[in-house]
Amino acid sequence: MDDDFYSDLWETITAGDTWHEEITNQRSDGSQYVADQTIAPIVADGEPRAFVAVQTDITERKELEGRLSLYRDIIERLEDPIMIQACEGEFRLVNDALCSFAGLSRDELLGDGEYAFMDEETATTIARQKQRVIETEQPVEYSVEPTFKHSDREAIFYTSRYPYYEDGEIAGTLAICRNVTDLEERTRQLHVLDNILRHNIRNELNVIHGR
């Protein structure tokens, strides 16, 4: 911390104001830590007579915030819908892909659930899967084919849903919804082609055998 930092701190508290800042400090063993620091003056007769300082080590919180920021950046780059939902079902985090399918903005989705933008039958299926994850604390995988009220889009999703924890306690679920619509359509086409080929082969064999 340079001289300007201490000058600003001293100027603030000697003027009778409270100073608050996050600082990077050094422990006695040489390691660095991040602290949330507040210094408040004790004023008597209109003049600061003493100061009270409160400092909280927030290193772990800052590291967690950094990881969450990285995770958010990764999630936003993915083309498949990803979401975190609380145990009650409301969205805590959504990415742009989910907003696009839902036809709603991030602000409209946060705090709400699937029933706000998806057909009721599929939303009920998803609710059961979420409850299963919360009760067992085990991941589940399932497929759904929802329709979306506000975007008129249709898709087939293969979903992996995991338990989501905060402070060591289960707080909801995290879902990654892989859009497999094109794959499913290709599989259907191959199935139809297979049936046609099998039918034609049987007919040709019947002709050969005079049936």
Side-chain angles (χ1 to χ4, degrees):
M1 290 174 282
D2 56 23
D3 291 341
D4 289 339
F5 172 85
Y6 290 107
S7 176
D8 180 58
L9 186 161
W10 186 247
E11 182 178 333
T12 299
I13 61 177
T14 54
D17 297 323
T18 298
W19 181 86
H20 178 260
E21 189 68 71
E22 289 182 3
I23 64 171
T24 301
N25 215 335
Q26 187 168 297
R27 299 185 180 93
S28 58
D29 62 2
S31 63
Q32 290 190 328
Y33 68 97
V34 181
D36 182 285
Q37 192 173 75
T38 300
I39 302 177
I42 298 175
V43 179
D45 299 326
E47 295 291 334
R49 302 298 182 184
F51 303 96
V52 176
V54 177
Q55 179 169 289
T56 304
D57 189 334
I58 58 171
T59 306
E60 288 187 7
R61 192 190 81 190
K62 298 300 289 186
E63 290 174 350
L64 177 60
E65 288 175 354
R67 290 197 297 271
L68 287 175
S69 178
L70 175 61
Y71 296 155
R72 288 176 186 273
D73 289 343
I74 294 172
I75 287 172
E76 286 302 334
R77 291 190 179 97
L78 297 177
E79 296 180 356
D80 294 315
I82 296 178
M83 67 214 72
I84 292 176
Q85 291 173 270
C87 291
E88 294 75 19
E90 67 270 19
F91 290 113
R92 301 278 296 277
L93 181 148
V94 297
N95 68 346
D96 287 343
L98 178 59
C99 295
S100 176
F101 275 102
L104 297 172
S105 69
R106 192 185 310 272
D107 288 340
E108 290 173 312
L109 285 174
L110 292 176
D112 218 327
E114 288 91 355
Y115 287 95
F117 62 88
M118 188 182 293
D119 67 280
E120 185 173 351
E121 181 180 353
T122 304
T124 300
T125 298
I126 294 172
R128 286 197 295 265
Q129 296 291 348
K130 285 187 293 189
Q131 190 60 34
R132 181 180 166 194
V133 173
I134 291 168
E135 290 176 355
T136 64
E137 296 191 34
Q138 295 295 321
V140 298
E141 295 180 341
Y142 56 93
S143 295
V144 290
E145 193 169 348
T147 56
F148 300 96
K149 304 174 184 178
H150 304 285
S151 67
D152 295 324
R153 296 182 66 177
E154 296 182 1
I156 301 170
F157 292 108
Y158 181 80
T159 301
S160 298
R161 189 173 290 271
Y162 306 89
Y164 169 72
Y165 297 90
E166 289 182 355
D167 299 324
E169 299 290 334
I170 188 163
T173 63
L174 181 151
I176 302 172
C177 307
R178 182 67 176 168
N179 184 358
V180 295
T181 307
D182 293 341
L183 176 61
E184 289 289 332
E185 180 59 28
R186 179 61 175 162
T187 301
R188 289 170 184 168
Q189 291 173 356
L190 290 173
H191 182 67
V192 170
L193 178 61
D194 179 67
N195 286 338
I196 292 173
L197 290 174
R198 288 176 183 273
H199 177 73
N200 288 342
I201 289 172
R202 282 197 302 270
N203 286 343
E204 290 174 2
L205 287 174
N206 288 339
V207 170
I208 292 172
H209 290 288
R211 295 177 184 174

